[in-house]
Amino acid sequence: MEKFNYFNELEQSLKEAVAFKEGDKSKARVSVCELPVPEYKAADVLRVRSALRLSQRGLALALGVSPRTVEAWEVGRNAPNGAARNLLYLIEHNAALVDQLIARRPS
């Protein structure tokens, strides 16, 4: 049985870390963890939209949905799901993303 050499293992790990830093991702491992995204009810959609100072049309443009869809969410006929819900979560927590998704002009 081969004796475990801590120095050699540490040296190899450091070489791999440097290679990773320099762009070599071939030995990298990625762990994925699903984050819980909340359900958005009518009041939540309205709150987020108001906090972002967006019209229904503006929020629709940012999320890639129709203004009628945003209206339906806000009156409680439907609720955002899938990609729209995830994107709504992201822009709620990072308003700067809205500026990357749409061009806003001061009113």
Side-chain angles (χ1 to χ4, degrees):
M1 180 178 245
E2 186 179 328
K3 186 176 177 185
F4 189 78
N5 187 320
Y6 289 99
F7 177 78
N8 289 344
E9 292 298 320
L10 183 57
E11 181 182 35
Q12 182 61 33
S13 294
L14 289 172
K15 286 178 182 177
E16 290 173 10
V18 169
F20 181 85
K21 177 76 173 165
E22 293 174 348
D24 179 7
K25 311 290 191 235
S26 64
K27 295 184 180 178
R29 286 184 291 167
V30 176
S31 297
V32 177
C33 176
E34 184 177 352
L35 297 175
V37 175
E39 298 289 329
Y40 284 90
K41 299 191 182 324
D44 300 322
V45 175
L46 180 60
R47 175 185 45 78
V48 171
R49 182 174 66 79
S50 297
L52 295 170
R53 298 178 55 221
L54 290 171
S55 63
Q56 287 180 341
R57 183 176 182 277
L59 182 60
L61 285 171
L63 298 176
V65 299
S66 76
R68 295 187 89 180
T69 298
V70 173
E71 178 187 351
W73 292 341
E74 289 186 358
V75 297
R77 279 196 309 270
N78 295 324
N81 57 28
R85 189 176 90 192
N86 290 345
L87 193 50
L88 189 58
Y89 174 80
L90 289 174
I91 65 174
E92 177 184 14
H93 292 87
N94 186 352
L97 291 174
V98 173
D99 295 329
Q100 294 177 324
L101 295 168
I102 61 173
R104 294 203 265 190
R105 289 182 240 151
S107 49

